[in-house]
């Protein structure tokens, strides 16, 4: 297969057609409601990844061109996969080669209870994946042991800040909190996202709204101008918090009792 016959731009289009999934897991242009959300299935993803890997193994040149599609959608179903991906991204950084993390557009974490991912591995993956557009965590991150102090670098709010940086391209987020830390502390990174493009937000947690001073509620003001769908598992006190958020484009709301 002589790549010189066609320019790289056309080869990329050919690779795209050869590795396409239906529906497109990266398509965020269509309106999305949690009521209409179609659950992902792992077998089609695995079959698609085998196809991408086979194409990338044809030659070094094919691998270099196909790399963007090999990493664009990452589904982590076991903790060892998260560790392997984090290790790969760190090695690329040390070796000074282009980071594969820049190709990651969608990160889906869905593991068995005993295979939850270590926060340190997730921190590394998010740190080197600045162009995420879809992030979903289905209760698949390890909780910190109560007798072990949490490293400040791997606290939930720090991990969220890696997704909520000012230039974030994130459009869909499913976020799980694993403790009963007050909502305003865990979600504080959202306060810096005034120009956020987030369209779908799902919060699964044991969040509690604890405000000893009315000013605390005012300080929790969040602006999500593009948000269309919000799904949250919250207690009754959290309605005051949601009411303070600026969400002018909101169309769908689901509140599940915590």
């Amino acid at each position: 297969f002589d790549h010189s016959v066609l320019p790289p731009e056309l080869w990329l289009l050919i690779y795209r057609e050869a590795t396409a999934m239906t529906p497109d897991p990266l398509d965020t242009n269509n309106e999305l409601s949690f009521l209409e959300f179609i659950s992902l299935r792992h077998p089609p993803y695995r079959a698609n990844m085998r196809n991408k890997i086979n194409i990338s193994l044809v030659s070094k040149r094919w691998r270099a061109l196909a790399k963007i599609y090999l990493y664009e959608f990452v589904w982590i179903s076991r903790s060892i996969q998260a560790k392997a991906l984090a290790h790969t991204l760190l090695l690329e950084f040390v070796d000074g080669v282009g980071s594969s993390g820049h190709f990651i557009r969608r990160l889906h974490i869905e593991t068995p209870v005993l295979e939850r991912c270590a926060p340190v591995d997730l921190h590394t993956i998010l740190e080197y994946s600045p162009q995420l557009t879809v992030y979903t965590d289905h209760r698949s991150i390890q909780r910190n042991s109560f007798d072990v102090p949490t490293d400040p670098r791997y606290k939930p709010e720090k991990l969220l800040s890696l997704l909520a940086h000012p230039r974030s391209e994130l459009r869909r987020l499913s976020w799980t909190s694993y403790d009963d830390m007050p909502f305003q502390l865990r979600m504080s990174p959202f306060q810096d996202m005034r120009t956020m493009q987030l369209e779908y937000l799902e919060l699964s947690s044991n969040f509690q709204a604890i405000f000893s001073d009315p000013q605390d509620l005012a300080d929790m003001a969040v602006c999500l101008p593009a948000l269309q769908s919000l799904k949250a598992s919250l207690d009754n006190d959290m309605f005051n918090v949601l009411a303070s958020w600026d969400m002018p484009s909101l169309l769908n709301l689901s509140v599940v009792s915590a």
Side-chain angles (χ1 to χ4, degrees):
F1 301 98
D2 186 1
H3 270 71
S4 63
V5 176
L6 295 174
E9 293 80 4
L10 288 181
W11 277 113
L12 288 174
L13 291 176
I14 293 172
Y15 294 157
R16 164 56 68 207
E17 291 299 319
T19 61
M21 289 184 67
T22 304
D24 184 357
L26 300 178
D27 184 11
T28 59
N29 293 322
N30 296 327
E31 292 185 6
L32 176 63
S33 164
F34 48 83
L35 297 175
E36 303 168 351
F37 182 70
I38 301 176
S39 298
L40 293 172
R41 294 184 295 126
H42 198 217
Y45 170 79
R46 288 188 297 176
N48 182 258
M49 285 301 297
R50 284 195 296 268
N51 185 32
K52 291 180 178 180
I53 291 173
N54 289 337
I55 290 176
S56 69
L57 292 177
V58 170
S59 68
K60 290 183 178 180
R61 182 172 295 181
W62 277 50
R63 179 174 178 81
L65 285 173
K67 193 175 183 180
I68 182 174
Y69 303 124
L70 191 61
Y71 282 92
E72 63 181 1
F73 177 21
V74 175
W75 183 320
I76 295 174
S77 57
R78 298 175 58 195
S79 59
I80 194 173
Q81 295 172 349
K83 190 170 294 296
L85 177 57
H87 183 67
T88 297
L89 298 179
L90 281 175
L91 281 182
E92 290 176 340
F93 175 76
V94 172
D95 293 340
V97 300
S99 174
S100 301
H102 285 277
F103 300 133
I104 301 177
R105 296 293 183 272
R106 180 168 189 166
L107 180 60
H108 182 88
I109 308 175
E110 187 173 353
T111 71
V113 173
L114 298 181
E115 287 283 349
R116 287 176 173 170
C117 304
V120 59
D121 295 329
L122 180 59
H123 181 280
T124 299
I125 295 170
L126 295 181
E127 185 177 18
Y128 292 103
S129 306
Q131 299 187 56
L132 280 174
T133 57
V134 181
Y135 174 86
T136 53
D137 163 31
H138 293 275
R139 302 184 180 275
S140 300
I141 308 301
Q142 292 177 3
R143 297 186 63 172
N144 183 56
S145 300
F146 291 108
D147 57 345
V148 178
T150 301
D151 189 318
R153 294 173 296 175
Y154 311 131
K155 287 185 175 181
E157 60 269 25
K158 177 59 178 177
L159 296 177
L160 183 58
S161 69
L162 294 174
L163 291 167
H165 58 85
R167 289 173 292 184
S168 172
E169 299 179 12
L170 201 65
R171 292 183 179 272
R172 297 178 183 173
L173 171 64
S174 295
W175 182 260
T176 301
S177 180
Y178 298 90
D179 55 30
D180 57 0
M181 179 66 69
F183 181 82
Q184 66 271 27
L185 298 181
R186 280 290 177 255
M187 305 305 293
S188 58
F190 270 127
Q191 294 174 264
D192 299 324
M193 300 183 68
R194 303 304 182 192
T195 60
M196 189 177 183
Q197 299 302 308
L198 195 64
E199 299 170 355
Y200 176 92
L201 175 61
E202 181 175 353
L203 301 172
S204 300
S205 63
N206 295 319
F207 285 133
Q208 296 180 8
I210 301 177
F211 298 102
S212 57
D213 187 325
Q215 185 60 37
D216 292 339
L217 180 57
D219 292 341
M220 188 55 209
V222 170
C223 180
L224 301 175
L227 192 69
Q228 298 179 20
S229 298
L230 172 63
K231 182 177 182 180
S233 58
L234 305 169
D235 58 23
N236 290 337
D237 293 336
M238 284 307 306
F239 279 105
N240 288 332
V241 178
L242 294 179
S244 70
W245 287 15
D246 184 9
M247 300 176 287
S249 302
L250 190 66
L251 298 174
N252 308 294
L253 172 65
S254 172
V255 177
V256 181
S257 174

